[in-house]
Amino acid sequence: MKADSAAQRRLLDLADVDAELARARHRRRTMPELAEIAAAEKATQAKRDAMVAVQTQLDDLDREVARQEKEIDAVRAREERDRGLLAGGTLNAKQLTDMDHELATLERRQGVLEDDLLELMERREAVEFDGKHAGVELAKAEEALTVATHRRDENLADLDTIDARRGAERVKILPDIPEALLALYERKRASKGIGASLLRARRCGACRLELDRREISRIKDAPADEVIECDECGAVLVRTPESGL
């Protein structure tokens, strides 16, 4: 293939632009913040689940406390009614004996219920403490997620700037490169990752390998408009005074 040497050198500008665009794409896929965000999202969800579990326990305990208090109130009401009957003086001897027995039973029942209620309240206090701790942990996880997301967004904004700037440069370069040479460059770039590189000090800038004497002699004797490709990596080798020929 033949192409004006100036057009070949323009390939170096294009390769430089494409290299930075490729680095930007790589950064988008591999920036550490992506892993941080994934971990932070997982941690945040776990903390939210813990909060839900604590709240569920509190709701269950609140219902149990309300039921226990209602039962205690019923026992107290029954005791007050019985004491009212005793104070009324209308009961016979057998009824008085039965009433004393019932009052003793109610007192024991009330004591058991109140002990159970106290235990429930203590359990609720412990669960409430767990809830406060879970809330603190959730806030920390959400803060970590917010910070990581902010850093990611800042990085993405920087990468968007690079893409826009380098994309505009690429558009300006393309008209300076003949269609056939550009097609060759794009094929090389698609298959090898680098389409063109500078031949500097007898070394390929793409694969970094030094060319042997026979290859250097061939390139040196080639016309300036002949398109040279690296035998090792296939990239278009662009010759300049830095090539060491």
Side-chain angles (χ1 to χ4, degrees), residues 58-71 116-117 120 123:
L58 286 174
D59 292 342
D60 291 343
L61 286 170
D62 284 341
R63 284 192 292 271
E64 186 64 20
V65 166
R67 187 192 65 78
Q68 201 79 355
E69 289 176 338
K70 183 177 180 181
E71 190 167 352
D116 290 344
L117 178 60
L120 284 172
R123 285 171 54 195

Side-chain angles (χ1 to χ4, degrees), residues 79-91 96 99:
E79 183 180 0
E80 289 177 2
R81 189 203 66 176
D82 288 354
R83 292 192 183 283
L85 290 174
L86 281 176
T90 59
L91 302 179
L96 287 173
M99 188 63 67

